[in-house]
Amino acid sequence: MRIALGQLESGTDIGANLAAMDRFAAAAAGDGARLVAFPEYASYEKKVGDASFPAVAEPLDGPVCTALTGTARRHGVALVAGVIEASGKPDKAYNTLVAFGPDGSLLASYRKIHLFDAQGIGESRFISPAPSAEPVVFEFGGVGFGLLTCYDLRFPELARALSDAGAEVLLACSSWVPGKHKTRQWLALTAARAIENGVYVAGVCQAPPVSVGRSVLVDPMGAAVAELGLDPAVAAAEVSLEVVAEVRRQFPVARQRRLGADFSAGWCRPE
């Protein structure tokens, strides 16, 4: 399956952000992609979170998601993007990923588990963590896609849980805060999560200045098969279940692990 990374430069103009996603979805579809992934906070983003985030939050059947379903249907692609979901609390919202099918149906939604309370930034001031830590995996075109958001990459147990739940591709939708060594860490962590789980990792990021850019699709051996630079852009590449199966055959870590392992389960049982 061919999938695309849509690297945005989202700001506070929701209409402009939605229009950019529509343009990139059209380009991705024209390049043969069946799924296009956009970053965290794709619909609304600022350099520093503030009270405007819960103020613009909507339910998942609100105008933002309605526009995204229209984009998915119009271009005949599955679409994954970060939105700000209303939580029912006036001062807090959810940082949510939504996945829509080419027919506009909701395939999955994932509320960010690990909020970025680090580097002097307090995401939890205006965002509520997911009430459930259950991994979210959806199937599209015979491929299992697992959802995680930005800071989640630093928690390898979530990527492992997604893989155990059937993910063959992890969609890491992010707005990776810039700083010392942060681009190096972004690239290292996307590769590490791919290698240790035998999966593809699609790390799709916001562009500078709010984030580091450098969106990347990493294969299960840790090689980058698609990369973007610092500017808003879209890139597509193939993901192969045959490659996933072969790497997991060579490195059957799921059945070999001993810390917290359930030896009766996993995606790579002994013959």
Side-chain angles (χ1 to χ4, degrees):
M1 179 189 293
R2 193 164 179 83
I3 69 171
L5 313 175
Q7 182 167 289
L8 301 174
E9 189 178 10
S10 298
T12 59
D13 186 333
I14 294 173
N17 298 334
L18 292 171
M21 284 187 270
D22 192 83
R23 290 194 302 272
F24 281 9
D31 195 17
R34 296 185 60 197
L35 178 146
V36 56
F38 293 106
E40 173 186 31
Y41 292 128
S43 64
Y44 184 89
E45 178 63 308
K46 282 184 173 181
K47 182 69 172 176
V48 178
D50 59 20
S52 68
F53 282 71
V56 302
E58 298 178 1
L60 297 188
D61 59 356
V64 165
C65 286
T66 298
L68 293 176
T69 62
T71 290
R73 284 195 297 264
R74 187 159 43 253
H75 303 299
V77 294
L79 183 152
V80 178
V83 300
I84 304 174
E85 181 190 1
S87 71
K89 301 176 182 178
D91 59 340
K92 292 285 184 77
Y94 290 120
N95 180 348
T96 300
L97 298 180
V98 289
F100 295 108
D103 61 355
S105 62
L106 180 66
L107 300 175
S109 64
Y110 166 69
R111 293 166 175 168
K112 188 177 183 180
I113 294 172
H114 303 103
L115 300 185
F116 190 66
D117 289 348
Q119 290 191 293
I121 294 173
E123 188 177 19
S124 64
R125 291 179 61 204
F126 304 103
I127 302 294
S128 291
S132 169
E134 288 297 310
V136 175
V137 176
F138 69 92
E139 187 274 335
F140 174 68
V143 178
F145 291 90
L147 297 176
L148 52 82
T149 306
C150 201
Y151 198 45
D152 285 334
L153 270 175
R154 293 184 182 271
F155 298 84
E157 58 271 25
L158 177 56
R160 177 56 51 85
L162 290 164
S163 298
D164 285 347
E168 290 134 339
V169 180
L170 302 183
L171 302 177
C173 302
S174 306
S175 186
W176 199 257
V177 174
K180 186 177 182 181
H181 303 310
K182 291 296 296 292
T183 297
R184 183 186 300 272
Q185 292 173 5
W186 163 252
L187 296 173
L189 289 168
T190 51
R193 299 295 87 87
I195 293 165
E196 66 199 9
N197 292 294
V199 296
Y200 287 87
V201 173
V204 57
C205 208
Q206 292 279 1
V210 72
S211 184
V212 301
R214 299 294 298 275
S215 297
V216 62
L217 177 63
V218 183
D219 76 8
M221 290 294 280
V225 294
E227 297 181 88
L228 289 170
L230 301 182
D231 296 325
V234 62
E238 297 287 333
V239 297
S240 166
L241 295 188
E242 290 76 16
V243 170
V244 171
E246 175 58 20
V247 171
R248 290 177 172 181
R249 186 193 67 78
Q250 292 184 45
F251 301 98
V253 295
R255 67 175 171 83
Q256 291 174 331
R257 71 181 189 262
R258 300 185 67 185
L259 296 176
D262 176 358
F263 291 102
S264 68
W267 38 247
C268 195
R269 297 185 179 88
E271 296 273 338

